[in-house]
Amino acid sequence: MSHSKLASIFNKDEKRVDWHDKALWFVRHKRDLSVHNVKGWEELRNLGHGIKAHMLSNLDNYLIQFEENAKKNGVQVHWAADADEHNKIVLQILKENNAKKIVKSKSMLTEECHLNPCLEADGIEVIDTDLGERIVQLAKETPSHIVLPAIHKNRHEVDELFQEHLGTKPCDGDPQYLTGEARKHLRTKFIQADAALTGVNFAVADTGGFVVCTNEGNADMGAHLAPVHIASMGVEKIIPKQEHLGVFLRLLARSATGQPITTYSSHFKKPRKGVKMHIVIVDNGRSEQLSRPDFRASLHCIRCGACMNTCPIYRRSGGHSYDATIPGPIGSILSPGKDLTKHSTLPFASTLCGSCSDVCPVKIDIHSQLYKWRQIITKETPQPFVKKQAMKAMGNIFAHPNRFETVGKIARWSLRNLPKAMINSKPNVWGHTRDLPLGPEKSFDQWFKDRENDKKS
Amino acid sequence: MKVGLFIPCYINQLYPQVGIATIELLEKLNVDVGYPSGQTCCGQPMANSGYEYESVGACNNFVDNFKEFDYIVTPSGSCAYHVKKHYNIIPQTTEVTKVRDNVYELCDFILNILKIKDVGAAFPHKIGVHKSCHGLRGLRLGSCSEVVGEKYSYIEELLQEVKGAELTTLSRNDECCGFGGTFAVTEEAISVKMGKDKIQDHLNSGAEVITATDTSCLMHLEGLINRNKQPLKVLHIAEILNSNI
Ligand code: SF4
């Protein structure tokens, strides 16, 4: 379904839209307060952009360097060309270790690869351990935001979900009680887990180590208890040097939630005694995106979610309206690269206001890329005949001043003289909820000509 | 200094009063304004809808009309931005680059080229400023809340000198109004919701009039205000800067 259809369904409940909008604006505002206190924030963004651009231009070398160093550290490294291969590798590792119960710390990459259903089909229990992720997992939904996966649910809905699945008592959505119960529930899962899966926020080429950022400590709890740790990372997560972490860790948390740093920024380098550590390095369309000069900068993304929080459309349409793993402005430039037809409406779900580009900590020119996708989409995917013809006609009128004048006259006359009911009839979407301007008698052109004539006479 | 006036297509046809205020204001400021009669549209409606190639004729027509001028001034941040940012689809002749380099949004031109702050206007009302996105984040007519740096706004600098004018403060200072060209129609639900929220923010701030550098945003807001019979007026900034009541 198109973004606009899904968004209009979400908009049927205006109260929900209002709190969704306010909740995300609150986060965006917190981000503002915290970044405006950092001296040299814009320089930091430039640095982040520069390091990422450099990394992408030397991606092959840095990945190889990372692999070598990780292996030296005793980590097993695997390469996956696509989602399918990633899932097979993970499944294989789990089988080799006879792992039946898995705890996962939030990883959008495993969402992207649809890992959960694949493991579950093999009889493996997968528990998402980030609270928000666990909530959407219980609701059998997908995350609607990359940092705040359950932001579309209010506490009363969570209350009901927990009663149904975790056997909690009705509590009128008391957050303290609910998180307490979630904590108990998750702790039992951590203790029982045979393997822990985490994402990777940053992989450091010159050390072979990697960093996972969470606010709940769930990645650590999983990785420190289970005998097997599998980390899934996209190829673009690599940064050249350990010292670059200082740039990205500062950018990430502030942009995401306005915190100076995430509560846990856990560095993993080598497996503990008796524990196995695996890293799966995944492409899944990334090198194809890298090959598109106009869109390669989308791979700078550090998944902070700031572009979603700032986007006035995202805030009012909800993450699910994007029907993609990564929603919002950045998702709208990543998704068409994967399936142009399926995601053809996403680049149009924007007013091109540019707030996303200005908020992005690694300076991705998001709105310019949306504009560029639009040009490609109208050429390469089926477009409504009427829209195509209308654009052609408009192009033609604007290329010829005399035609422009004639059409303008007719339009003004119609607005002035036709009955309102006819003007605001169904095909005129504008008129459903908005009045059209009254057509003036004279255009500016006419007024100007008359004035010139008056001057002469 | 030869200045060419560009009046965007929809202002020409639907809001001639904005064009009139613009030319009168520039003349008051002793600018020698020319209005080439063959002008139509900057090409933005097609381009933003993904049909850039259908806008080539409009781009060429624009350059033909304005190549002789030292500056091109328009009461639309959005059109000025479009010419600057997206005219790379036609060959970059010296004429084309000259036009792109010298196209200005009206307030930008008055403040930064003419170097005038006080245009001699009087308008004793509470004004809510809507900072249209293309002017704000495209042309940088003001600082925006996302970017760390000094605070400024060309629009407000001019309005502050207007006698009797009082500027109100919004809770979301630079949020988009939801117009976005064809977005207003293809994403109707969101567009309308954004417009309603924007209007409410202005009402809460005590504004009597909403002004902007772009009539397109104002057309969208006015359409909602009139339909919902709300106590607000919209005026393009040229109309305020040209008034003397
Ligand atoms: S595109 Fe930029 S703002 Fe959006 S999630 Fe990625 S890094 Fe954050």
Side-chain angles (χ1 to χ4, degrees):
Chain A
M1 223 189 280
S2 69
H3 177 273
S4 77
K5 275 212 187 99
L6 291 167
S8 60
I9 295 169
F10 186 74
N11 267 261
K12 290 219 164 91
D13 183 352
E14 193 167 351
K15 281 224 175 82
R16 178 178 288 269
V17 177
D18 284 336
W19 70 250
H20 189 262
D21 169 48
K22 287 207 178 89
L24 290 164
W25 182 259
F26 175 79
V27 184
R28 147 79 209 268
H29 187 62
K30 250 181 87 188
R31 171 260 172 214
D32 286 357
L33 292 179
S34 97
V35 307
H36 283 269
N37 281 331
V38 179
K39 252 202 185 149
W41 175 256
E42 296 303 327
E43 286 75 15
L44 213 54
R45 286 175 74 211
N46 283 335
L47 263 175
H49 179 92
I51 296 168
K52 282 281 177 178
H54 168 84
M55 174 278 290
L56 287 175
S57 301
N58 300 278
L59 185 58
D60 47 350
N61 292 332
Y62 284 124
L63 283 170
I64 291 167
Q65 192 191 351
F66 174 75
E67 181 186 32
E68 276 169 10
N69 287 326
K71 278 182 174 165
K72 269 186 220 151
N73 298 336
V75 181
Q76 297 181 51
V77 181
H78 312 256
W79 298 83
D82 54 23
D84 210 35
E85 202 173 346
H86 165 264
N87 296 350
K88 279 191 188 133
I89 292 168
V90 172
L91 196 58
Q92 183 64 25
I93 300 170
L94 295 177
K95 281 194 173 150
E96 279 164 12
N97 290 283
N98 208 11
K100 288 276 168 219
K101 290 178 185 243
I102 315 298
V103 283
K104 229 177 79 191
S105 155
K106 198 174 75 183
S107 149
M108 291 313 290
L109 178 59
T110 57
E111 280 292 331
E112 175 187 321
C113 296
H114 303 292
L115 178 68
N116 289 15
C118 164
L119 297 184
E120 281 156 2
D122 248 85
I124 295 170
E125 180 194 72
V126 192
I127 304 290
D128 283 315
T129 57
D130 171 277
L131 179 56
E133 282 258 318
R134 185 68 185 130
I135 292 167
V136 291
Q137 191 183 27
L138 292 177
K140 298 197 174 45
E141 290 175 7
T142 54
S144 70
H145 187 289
I146 60 175
V147 175
L148 312 156
I151 189 73
H152 60 289
K153 290 221 168 301
N154 65 33
R155 56 200 171 93
H156 300 287
E157 289 166 314
V158 176
D159 185 1
E160 277 169 30
L161 263 176
F162 279 17
Q163 286 177 46
E164 186 188 333
H165 295 277
L166 310 183
T168 53
K169 289 181 286 202
C171 67
D172 195 29
D174 173 13
Q176 200 169 352
Y177 171 72
L178 290 172
T179 39
E181 290 300 303
R183 186 186 168 100
K184 275 192 233 156
H185 160 71
L186 286 170
R187 295 228 156 173
T188 59
K189 298 293 176 188
F190 283 125
I191 290 169
Q192 296 163 353
D194 305 316
L197 260 85
T198 68
V200 169
N201 287 88
F202 306 100
V204 185
D206 76 344
T207 65
F210 62 93
V211 175
V212 183
C213 302
T214 69
N215 273 327
E216 296 165 22
N218 51 318
D220 310 68
M221 206 105 71
H224 292 164
L225 284 165
V228 183
H229 177 183
I230 307 171
S232 299
M233 66 175 260
V235 287
E236 82 286 12
K237 293 288 172 176
I238 202 101
I239 58 171
K241 291 184 176 155
Q242 178 85 5
E243 69 199 51
H244 297 148
L245 279 172
V247 174
F248 292 108
L249 289 175
R250 296 179 77 195
L251 287 172
L252 176 67
R254 285 186 175 85
S255 301
T257 54
Q259 294 164 269
I261 192 160
T262 36
T263 316
Y264 300 87
S265 306
S266 307
H267 299 238
F268 296 92
K269 195 164 162 191
K270 47 180 79 166
R272 284 172 288 126
K273 262 209 190 98
V275 169
K276 285 178 197 151
M277 195 183 260
H278 296 262
I279 294 176
V280 192
I281 303 175
V282 187
D283 185 325
N284 203 32
R286 286 162 178 74
S287 46
E288 202 183 346
Q289 186 81 337
L290 185 65
S291 74
R292 302 179 176 114
D294 284 344
F295 304 107
R296 66 182 284 159
S298 61
L299 298 170
H300 289 195
C301 179
I302 57 172
R303 302 285 192 266
C304 69
C307 56
M308 295 158 207
N309 303 339
T310 207
C311 179
I313 287 103
Y314 178 92
R315 273 188 264 117
R316 292 175 181 85
S317 55
H320 288 150
S321 65
Y322 294 80
D323 194 16
T325 310
I326 310 283
I330 181 66
S332 299
I333 50 182
L334 292 171
S335 306
K338 295 216 155 139
D339 186 339
L340 196 61
T341 308
K342 180 181 175 208
H343 300 295
S344 66
T345 59
L346 296 186
F348 293 90
S350 163
T351 57
L352 305 180
C353 75
S355 181
C356 47
S357 305
D358 273 353
V359 91
C360 177
V362 283
K363 286 200 156 177
I364 302 173
D365 54 339
I366 303 175
H367 73 291
S368 306
Q369 294 189 36
L370 291 171
Y371 177 88
K372 284 175 182 155
W373 269 129
R374 291 183 184 190
Q375 311 309 325
I376 294 170
I377 284 164
T378 57
K379 283 194 196 131
E380 294 183 10
T381 69
Q383 293 297 309
F385 178 76
V386 179
K387 187 179 167 196
K388 259 186 138 154
Q389 290 311 108
M391 288 297 152
K392 198 174 177 165
M394 252 165 108
N396 191 299
I397 291 163
F398 289 142
H400 300 94
N402 46 351
R403 289 180 209 167
F404 173 61
E405 203 181 302
T406 319
V407 172
K409 242 185 217 151
I410 300 172
R412 289 198 318 274
W413 184 90
S414 316
L415 283 174
R416 248 190 348 269
N417 295 304
L418 293 182
K420 270 244 157 93
M422 193 165 155
I423 289 177
N424 293 333
S425 63
K426 217 163 177 209
N428 171 17
V429 177
W430 180 278
H432 294 171
T433 38
R434 287 164 288 206
D435 280 359
L436 276 161
L438 268 180
E441 294 265 355
K442 272 189 206 174
S443 66
F444 175 79
D445 254 343
Q446 195 54 49
W447 173 88
F448 185 79
K449 270 185 203 140
D450 292 351
R451 191 179 79 154
E452 294 302 290
N453 286 338
D454 287 351
K455 272 189 199 161
K456 276 180 214 144
S457 59
Chain B
M1 169 163 81
K2 261 178 79 183
V3 176
L5 176 64
F6 172 61
I7 297 300
C9 52
Y10 65 98
I11 292 187
N12 197 339
Q13 298 301 333
L14 301 175
Y15 295 91
Q17 69 273 25
V18 174
I20 297 169
T22 307
I23 198 167
E24 286 181 353
L25 174 64
L26 288 169
E27 285 170 351
K28 254 191 232 167
L29 302 175
N30 294 319
V31 179
D32 172 21
V33 202
Y35 176 73
S37 62
Q39 58 178 288
T40 57
C41 164
C42 67
Q44 185 174 195
M46 291 81 79
N48 279 4
S49 309
Y51 290 87
E52 223 175 26
Y53 62 94
E54 298 287 10
S55 75
V56 169
C59 300
N60 285 324
N61 184 57
F62 187 95
V63 174
D64 270 350
N65 275 288
F66 290 104
K67 61 188 179 209
E68 302 299 337
F69 293 96
D70 301 319
Y71 291 102
I72 300 114
V73 177
T74 178
S76 161
S78 187
C79 301
Y81 174 65
H82 186 69
V83 174
K84 277 195 184 300
K85 170 127 177 166
H86 294 304
Y87 268 34
N88 44 5
I89 54 165
I90 52 174
Q92 299 300 293
T93 60
T94 43
E95 283 169 354
V96 173
T97 49
K98 184 183 161 206
V99 164
R100 293 179 79 180
D101 285 346
N102 295 306
V103 62
Y104 276 81
E105 182 281 326
L106 177 67
C107 296
D108 193 3
F109 179 75
I110 295 175
L111 196 71
N112 296 314
I113 301 297
L114 299 181
K115 310 249 183 256
I116 297 175
K117 257 193 180 184
D118 186 350
V119 297
F123 189 78
H125 294 284
K126 287 190 178 168
I127 306 174
V129 178
H130 169 61
K131 296 179 179 159
S132 302
C133 307
H134 287 176
L136 184 69
R137 301 195 184 87
L139 298 173
R140 303 287 170 198
L141 300 183
S143 52
C144 64
S145 52
E146 301 90 355
V147 178
V148 176
E150 243 180 84
K151 295 238 176 313
Y152 71 98
S153 161
Y154 298 162
I155 307 159
E156 286 170 356
E157 265 182 67
L158 289 174
L159 286 173
Q160 257 140 18
E161 301 297 323
V162 173
K163 262 190 220 86
E166 192 186 317
L167 302 187
T168 61
T169 315
L170 292 176
S171 74
R172 294 184 190 179
N173 188 24
D174 47 20
E175 174 124 316
C176 173
C177 69
F179 173 67
T182 40
F183 175 89
V185 173
T186 54
E187 287 271 3
E188 189 210 358
I190 305 290
S191 171
V192 166
K193 179 65 179 143
M194 286 166 71
K196 277 169 65 179
D197 290 353
K198 190 85 218 185
I199 291 164
Q200 196 53 51
D201 200 356
H202 278 287
L203 283 171
N204 295 347
S205 80
E208 299 164 80
V209 179
I210 305 180
T211 193
T213 51
D214 282 82
T215 306
S216 48
C217 307
L218 294 174
M219 176 169 80
H220 165 64
L221 295 174
E222 186 180 45
L224 285 164
I225 290 169
N226 288 349
R227 180 63 62 91
N228 299 322
K229 306 200 171 31
Q230 288 167 306
L232 266 169
K233 263 185 80 125
V234 306
L235 283 176
H236 187 276
I237 190 149
E239 296 176 275
I240 293 183
L241 296 178
N242 189 45
S243 61
N244 214 330
I245 8 163

